[in-house]
């Protein structure tokens, strides 16, 4: 059967060769771009400046149950990454076993020795670290009032609300890990806001793996706007090898409470989990002073 004229023209050798050359050039450009991105990712991040007077460093990390991208279960490596933050407060996700007895995956003594941090008593198990995997690490001696939330959804998810008495003032920290389904994430956002409305206002931070990258009309981030304001793009934290999506978040009320939200992009962090950690600077002293002035005026 003879091809129609248009198809015969398409199959002419010069046209076919030109198309092949264009495809090869496009592939070479894509490979070069990927190589450049990978080379940039091999460079260690610039060191963070030390916190100023009245400031604290906060971090949030889904440590993927201490299983790295190399497939190795290595809690010591996870602790080494946490030590890199130099943080005063750390929210962790997937800090416990997912199935069976929810025991913690990090050695408490080694954690305190290398990071200077200890877990708050969030778990209802002596061997546990978190609630639905959500753990909070603080400096020893930090006083906290804790509330555990079961979040609605098709899979077991939770959040921890910790009212912390810190040296610069009080802070309410919400550590959460949202679900994979959009409709469940919207319900989980609503549940957290409802829980916060039941309490007297405090400077508040919501952090964790919110599993949400889309800021559109049906996004669970829109459900958080009544307290935390519009949530635009954030630093991409997933996947760790070549991050494209801002799944992890650190949100604050009032907004000036938190600045310098960025990924902690170190060689060790790139292999220790499928998520990169986030760090941020808390300007707690200034915000706490403003709250105290408002209460005095009232």
């Amino acid at each position: 059967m003879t091809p129609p004229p248009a198809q015969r023209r398409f199959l002419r050798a010069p046209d076919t060769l030109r198309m092949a050359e264009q495809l090869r050039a496009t592939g070479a450009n894509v490979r070069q771009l990927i190589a450049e991105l990978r080379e940039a990712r091999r460079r260690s991040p610039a060191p963070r400046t030390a916190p100023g007077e009245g400031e604290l460093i906060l971090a949030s990390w889904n440590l993927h149950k201490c299983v790295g991208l190399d497939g190795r279960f290595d809690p010591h490596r996870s602790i080494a990454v946490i030590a890199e933050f130099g943080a005063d407060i750390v929210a962790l996700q997937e800090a416990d076993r997912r199935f069976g007895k929810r025991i913690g995956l990090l050695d408490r003594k080694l954690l305190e020795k290398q990071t200077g941090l200890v877990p708050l008593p969030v778990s209802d198990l002596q061997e546990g670290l978190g609630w639905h995997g959500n753990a909070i690490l603080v400096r020893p001696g930090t006083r906290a009032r804790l509330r555990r939330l079961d979040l609605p959804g098709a899979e077991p998810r939770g959040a921890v609300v910790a009212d912390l008495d810190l040296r610069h003032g009080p802070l309410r920290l919400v550590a959460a890990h949202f679900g994979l389904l959009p409709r469940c994430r919207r319900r989980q956002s609503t549940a957290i806001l409802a829980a916060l409305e039941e309490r007297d206002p405090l400077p508040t931070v919501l952090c964790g793996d919110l599993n949400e990258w889309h800021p559109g009309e049906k996004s669970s981030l829109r459900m958080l706007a009544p307290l935390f304001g519009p949530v635009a793009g954030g630093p991409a934290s997933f996947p760790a090898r070549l991050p494209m999506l801002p799944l992890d978040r650190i949100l604050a009320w009032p907004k000036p409470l938190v600045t310098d939200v960025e990924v902690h992009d170190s060689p060790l962090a790139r292999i220790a989990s499928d998520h990169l950690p986030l760090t941020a600077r808390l300007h707690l002293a200034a915000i706490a002073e403003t709250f105290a002035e408002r209460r005095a005026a009232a």
Side-chain angles (χ1 to χ4, degrees):
M1 180 177 178
T2 303
Q7 188 172 347
R8 287 201 301 273
R9 287 195 301 272
F10 179 77
L11 294 175
R12 287 174 184 169
D15 291 341
T16 303
L17 289 173
R18 278 197 296 270
M19 181 176 291
E21 290 172 359
Q22 291 174 357
L23 289 173
R24 281 195 294 269
T26 300
N29 290 337
V30 171
R31 287 192 294 273
Q32 181 180 356
L33 177 61
I34 292 175
E36 290 174 356
L37 287 171
R38 285 177 173 166
E39 178 59 29
R41 303 262 306 123
R42 291 190 187 101
R43 304 178 196 129
S44 296
R48 174 188 287 274
T49 58
E53 182 63 30
E55 296 178 349
L56 299 170
I57 298 300
L58 167 72
S60 178
W61 187 32
N62 183 336
L63 48 74
H64 198 232
K65 295 181 284 294
C66 299
V67 178
L69 296 183
D70 55 2
R72 287 197 299 119
F73 172 70
D74 192 344
H76 289 186
R77 178 172 59 186
S78 300
I79 291 175
V81 173
I82 296 170
E84 291 179 347
F85 305 156
D88 302 281
I89 308 167
V90 178
L92 297 175
Q93 301 88 56
E94 300 191 16
D96 299 316
R97 287 184 182 174
R98 180 70 186 268
F99 301 106
K101 197 173 183 181
R102 299 294 299 270
I103 64 173
L105 300 173
L106 302 177
D107 182 276
R108 294 168 184 261
K109 291 183 178 179
L110 183 63
L111 182 67
E112 183 174 4
K113 179 180 179 181
Q114 292 197 11
T115 71
L117 302 173
V118 296
L120 289 175
V122 170
S123 176
D124 52 3
L125 298 175
Q126 185 175 359
E127 308 96 328
L129 287 176
W131 173 248
H132 290 283
N134 295 289
I136 299 175
L137 310 180
V138 296
R139 298 294 179 193
T142 301
R143 293 188 301 173
R145 294 167 296 284
L146 301 172
R147 180 182 179 186
R148 303 183 303 188
L149 302 178
D150 281 310
L151 297 180
E155 52 185 325
R157 296 285 177 171
V160 179
V161 182
D163 288 355
L164 306 174
D165 294 330
L166 303 172
R167 66 181 185 273
H168 299 309
L171 175 72
R172 178 166 291 147
L173 179 70
V174 185
H177 189 182
F178 283 7
L180 299 176
L181 300 177
R183 68 177 185 276
C184 295
R185 292 197 296 268
R186 291 193 290 271
R187 293 174 61 198
Q188 289 157 6
S189 292
T190 301
I192 284 178
L193 285 193
L196 294 178
E197 288 174 357
E198 296 173 359
R199 298 191 168 198
D200 293 335
L202 282 179
T204 301
V205 171
L206 166 62
C207 60
D209 178 3
L210 302 192
N211 264 317
E212 186 69 84
W213 61 91
H214 190 270
E217 184 177 348
K218 294 185 178 181
S219 169
S220 58
L221 300 176
R222 286 287 186 98
M223 314 301 292
L224 298 169
L227 180 60
F228 297 102
V231 181
S237 58
F238 181 89
R241 283 197 189 277
L242 195 63
M244 303 287 287
L245 302 175
L247 298 188
D248 303 274
R249 302 280 178 168
I250 296 179
L251 309 177
W253 178 83
K255 284 273 188 186
L257 175 61
V258 165
T259 63
D260 303 330
V261 179
E262 56 190 33
V263 293
H264 176 81
D265 187 4
S266 72
L268 199 59
R270 292 169 206 157
I271 193 68
S273 171
D274 58 346
H275 287 247
L276 287 176
L278 290 186
T279 60
R281 196 175 297 266
L282 288 177
H283 304 273
L284 187 57
I287 297 298
E289 184 177 348
T290 302
F291 266 74
E293 289 173 355
R294 287 180 180 175
R295 285 175 177 166

